[in-house]
Amino acid sequence: MPDLVLKPTPLQNTATPLVLASGSAIRKQLLHNAGLSCLAEPAALEEDVLKAEGLAQGWAASTTALRLAEAKALALYKPEAFVIGADQMLSCEGVLYNKPETQDAARTQLQALRGKTHILHTAVVVCHKGAVLWQYVSEPKLTMRSFSDTFLDAYLQSEGAECLCSVGAYRLEGPGLQLFEQIEGDYSAILGLPLLPLLEALRTLGVTLS
Ligand SMILES: Nc1nc2c(ncn2[C@H]2C[C@H](O)[C@@H](COP(=O)(O)OP(=O)(O)OP(=O)(O)O)O2)c(=O)[nH]1
């Protein structure tokens, strides 16, 4: 699916604060590393309701991710700010996976993903005064090695609860890299934010280094 891009409307005001409607530590870190300081606050949203609607309506995973990103940004209504919302769905051979809730669930999920290629449907939107100014979807593809259960247990032992913060039960910037034999697509999108297109959109809106 081509990346969805809505051209943002350049605004004059460059003093508009930036808010990240997310509880994701890595998303906040990615923006900080790129030189942007922002307030980060998780959106109070029942994601499962939208995910269930997506399944019932037969939405593509990228559509569900986009709808969730938009819902998070709009749920955190900050009228004087640019609000970023993001979401990531993982699909593998037509099956959707969520963030594992326990180490056992992470083990089961990684056993299901190993030796296969999965897609991280990563959506990001920028909203202002309750309207979506810009949206984007990146869909990197990641192929896992057919690692052994012994390797998997050692990986889970080393990762501990960290792997539960990620939809794929891995941190690519950490030991999770050892799970893969091939990766195609935008590295920052895999971590949770397609940074280059987002930074371009923010510069167009007058948000630069802060
Ligand atoms: N550190 C790290 N995190 C990853 C990686 N791949 C995916 N993730 C994280 C990014 C997101 O926090 C999470 C995807 O789940 P969601 O999009 O539902 O976001 P999350 O629930 O974490 O926060 P949010 O809904 O934005 O408040 O997985 C990775 O390679 N490294």
Side-chain angles (χ1 to χ4, degrees):
M1 174 179 177
D3 291 338
L4 286 172
V5 179
L6 290 180
K7 277 289 170 219
T9 314
L11 297 174
Q12 302 312 315
N13 175 2
T14 60
T16 307
L18 191 61
V19 174
L20 173 64
S22 176
S24 168
I26 188 68
R27 287 189 173 125
K28 184 173 183 180
Q29 188 64 53
L30 287 167
L31 290 172
H32 175 78
N33 293 350
L36 293 176
S37 58
C38 67
L39 172 73
E41 198 178 315
L45 186 78
E46 275 304 316
E47 294 190 33
D48 291 344
V49 172
L50 250 178
K51 286 181 181 175
E53 184 183 351
L55 279 176
Q57 301 290 332
W59 295 343
S62 53
T63 303
T64 303
L66 207 49
R67 298 280 178 90
L68 280 163
E70 181 180 330
K72 292 176 194 177
L74 295 176
L76 195 73
Y77 189 64
K78 302 272 185 191
E80 296 318 311
F82 290 127
V83 184
I84 298 170
D87 191 78
Q88 212 169 33
M89 300 284 287
L90 187 154
S91 72
C92 182
E93 298 177 355
V95 178
L96 291 177
Y97 292 81
N98 291 305
K99 276 196 289 191
E101 294 182 4
T102 65
Q103 283 255 321
D104 282 347
R107 191 175 196 278
T108 304
Q109 178 166 314
L110 289 167
Q111 286 174 324
L113 294 176
R114 68 183 168 192
K116 298 175 187 169
T117 298
H118 66 265
I119 301 170
L120 284 176
H121 310 271
T122 309
V124 58
V125 302
V126 177
C127 291
H128 186 60
K129 292 191 184 337
V132 176
L133 295 184
W134 178 83
Q135 62 183 32
Y136 190 89
V137 178
S138 178
E139 297 182 294
K141 294 176 181 58
L142 302 91
T143 303
M144 278 194 179
R145 298 186 301 111
S146 297
F147 45 79
S148 66
D149 284 345
T150 305
F151 177 88
L152 177 53
D153 289 340
Y155 163 76
L156 290 169
Q157 179 73 30
S158 76
E159 266 297 86
E162 290 284 358
C163 71
L164 305 183
C165 300
S166 153
V167 68
Y170 54 77
R171 294 180 301 152
L172 200 66
E173 74 279 18
L177 188 61
Q178 296 222 31
L179 299 172
F180 295 95
E181 70 183 38
Q182 187 172 2
I183 290 166
E184 294 169 52
D186 175 353
Y187 179 81
S188 68
I190 293 167
L191 270 57
L193 273 181
L195 266 185
L196 288 177
L198 174 59
L199 295 174
E200 173 63 27
L202 291 174
R203 284 192 296 270
T204 303
L205 293 170
V207 179
T208 56
L209 295 169
S210 49

